[in-house]
């Protein structure tokens, strides 16, 4: 269950930087995010939804984030250690123990599709390639544990984000199309395979809602869904909820242009992109069905199943984009 800003008093006490801080909720999607304003500065507190990420999984996310800050120039969030020196903290609330991570607030505003995003997508493509290159040479700490985003964990009825079959407006007619899509995705992903050059640890949620623009600088936020998946899935995640927008072909070209300044791709890697877009779309369909209490799901639910079925028909007939 969600908690209120008033229930954060025990959490605030865990960080010296937060003495006297005021809190207000700024986002509720997978987790809750609060803005905390203190005399020492502004911070963002991420309070984890119970039952989603385990303590070892969150600690693994933070280990990678810390390594990226140390080993690359990527503009990603800085987690702040609590009084005990640990990045991950637990606190008691009226709704049970909760896990939380504090970050220094980054400047900027969230981009929208009304902006000119070609330059941003070129930058995000380069960011993705930098991360993929990093994980290829990074020695993960003992006990590292993150979820695997693959056909079964996205498409099965017990998928990580729920069952797409139970999403709003998946009626009998759309279910027939989406069942065909489901089987085709499984086949094509199995054929593509999980060789180390195309499958590994990725951000997995590089959507516009997890980006901040501050002048010429673009910050990449929220590694909470990072896990093992195909590298090209990071592009699919970047266009989340907007797969039908007319600008997507141009943004796709910009993304892969930026990516290939840092890391080469084969034609097969590029060709599989349509499959990743549809896999992500099915993940989002499942998420909308299992997170109906959130504003994000409520905002995108109208027409989403219909749009997914229409995209599926295009995909099954040929390329999504010329």
């Amino acid at each position: 269950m969600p908690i209120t800003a008033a229930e954060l008093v025990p959490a605030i006490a865990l960080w010296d930087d937060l003495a006297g801080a005021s809190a207000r909720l700024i986002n509720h999607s997978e987790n809750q995010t609060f803005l905390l304003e203190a005399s020492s500065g502004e911070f963002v507190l991420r309070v984890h939804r119970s039952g989603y990420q385990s303590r070892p999984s969150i600690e693994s996310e933070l280990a990678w984030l810390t390594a990226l800050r140390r080993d690359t120039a990527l503009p990603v969030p800085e987690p702040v250690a609590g009084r005990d020196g640990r990045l991950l903290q637990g606190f008691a609330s009226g709704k049970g123990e909760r896990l939380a991570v504090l970050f220094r607030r980054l400047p900027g505003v969230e981009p929208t599709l009304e902006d000119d995003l070609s330059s941003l997508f070129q930058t995000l493509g380069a960011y993705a390639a930098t991360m993929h290159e990093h994980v290829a040479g990074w020695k993960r700490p003992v006990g590292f544990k993150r979820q695997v985003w693959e056909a079964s964990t996205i498409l099965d009825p017990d998928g990580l984000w729920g069952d797409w079959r139970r999403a709003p407006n998946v009626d009998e007619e759309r279910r027939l199309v989406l069942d065909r899509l489901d089987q085709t995705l499984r086949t094509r992903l199995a054929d593509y395979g999980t060789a180390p050059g195309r499958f590994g640890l990725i951000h997995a949620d590089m959507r516009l809602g997890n980006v901040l623009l501050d002048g010429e600088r673009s910050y990449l936020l929220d590694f909470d869904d990072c896990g093992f998946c195909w590298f090209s899935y990071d592009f699919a995640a970047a266009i989340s909820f907007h797969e039908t927008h007319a600008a997507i072909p141009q943004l796709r070209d910009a993304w892969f242009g930026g990516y290939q300044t840092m890391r080469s791709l084969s034609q097969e890697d590029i060709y599989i992109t349509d499959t990743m877009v549809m896999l992500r779309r099915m993940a989002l369909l499942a998420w909308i069905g299992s997170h109906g209490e959130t504003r994000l799901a409520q905002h995108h639910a109208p027409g989403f199943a219909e749009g997914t079925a229409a995209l599926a028909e295009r995909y099954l007939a040929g390329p999504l984009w010329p």
Side-chain angles (χ1 to χ4, degrees):
M1 293 180 64
I3 66 172
T4 64
E7 294 176 287
L8 292 179
V9 173
I12 289 173
L14 298 171
W15 283 272
D16 286 330
D17 303 83
L18 299 183
S22 62
R24 65 179 175 89
L25 181 69
I26 55 175
N27 188 48
H28 177 204
S29 55
E30 194 63 59
N31 306 305
Q32 289 178 269
T33 307
F34 294 86
L35 174 65
L36 280 77
E37 297 176 292
S39 59
S40 58
E42 294 186 334
F43 302 86
V44 172
L45 184 71
R46 184 179 71 192
V47 179
H48 285 262
R49 178 169 67 87
S50 299
Y52 183 51
Q53 300 288 7
S54 67
R55 183 179 287 270
S57 181
I58 300 168
E59 289 173 340
S60 297
E61 171 211 347
L62 295 172
W64 187 35
L65 183 59
T66 300
L68 287 172
R69 288 183 56 82
R70 181 192 65 226
D71 301 336
T72 75
L74 288 172
V76 295
E78 178 187 358
V80 180
R83 288 176 172 170
D84 62 1
R86 298 182 179 182
L87 297 177
L88 179 60
Q89 299 288 326
F91 69 97
S93 76
K95 302 177 179 71
E97 184 183 27
R98 305 300 291 269
L99 297 174
V101 181
L102 185 70
F103 300 93
R104 297 194 186 279
R105 187 188 187 191
L106 293 171
V109 296
E110 180 182 325
T112 72
L113 282 175
E114 282 63 52
D115 299 323
D116 181 3
L117 296 181
S118 292
S119 177
L120 172 63
F121 268 67
Q122 186 172 12
T123 297
L124 293 178
Y127 286 0
T130 300
M131 289 187 287
H132 302 164
E133 282 290 292
H134 179 266
V135 299
W138 180 52
K139 185 177 180 179
R140 299 193 295 271
V142 175
F144 188 91
K145 182 179 181 181
R146 291 300 300 178
Q147 65 263 24
V148 179
W149 298 104
E150 58 186 357
S152 61
T153 58
I154 291 175
L155 300 174
D156 284 0
D158 61 348
L160 291 169
W161 277 357
D163 184 1
W164 64 261
R165 301 157 191 83
R166 300 170 64 87
N169 302 313
V170 178
D171 58 20
E172 183 176 353
E173 182 179 356
R174 290 169 192 146
R175 171 70 186 270
L176 290 174
V177 176
L178 296 178
D179 276 332
R180 288 173 52 217
L181 172 65
D182 183 299
Q183 292 305 312
T184 300
L185 291 175
R186 292 174 192 268
T187 298
R188 292 183 181 177
L189 290 169
D191 290 343
Y192 183 59
T194 56
R198 58 184 55 170
F199 191 98
L201 184 61
I202 69 169
H203 183 281
D205 197 22
M206 296 179 72
R207 60 189 179 89
L208 295 182
N210 288 331
V211 175
L212 288 176
L213 295 181
D214 183 41
E216 298 298 315
R217 195 157 177 79
S218 305
Y219 294 95
L220 178 61
L221 313 178
D222 197 359
F223 282 68
D224 180 56
D225 286 314
C226 72
F228 296 95
C229 189
W230 292 276
F231 292 139
S232 53
Y233 188 84
D234 266 338
F235 166 74
I239 61 170
S240 292
F241 302 113
H242 304 298
E243 296 86 354
T244 60
H245 196 279
I248 297 305
Q250 177 185 357
L251 299 182
R252 178 180 182 270
D253 291 345
W255 169 280
F256 283 109
Y259 192 99
Q260 292 187 96
T261 64
M262 307 294 296
R263 187 172 185 270
S264 63
L265 292 168
S266 69
Q267 283 301 116
E268 192 177 10
D269 296 329
I270 296 174
Y271 178 77
I272 202 68
T273 303
D274 284 6
T275 298
M276 298 304 166
V277 168
M278 294 311 305
L279 183 67
R280 174 66 173 189
R281 182 82 182 195
M282 292 293 272
L284 295 174
L285 183 63
W287 189 89
I288 286 172
S290 61
H291 291 70
E293 77 283 1
T294 67
R295 290 184 180 178
L296 185 64
Q298 293 164 9
H299 175 75
H300 289 288
F304 199 83
E306 180 183 3
T308 305
L311 275 173
E313 289 177 330
R314 281 172 49 190
Y315 170 80
L316 293 168
L320 282 175
W321 302 286

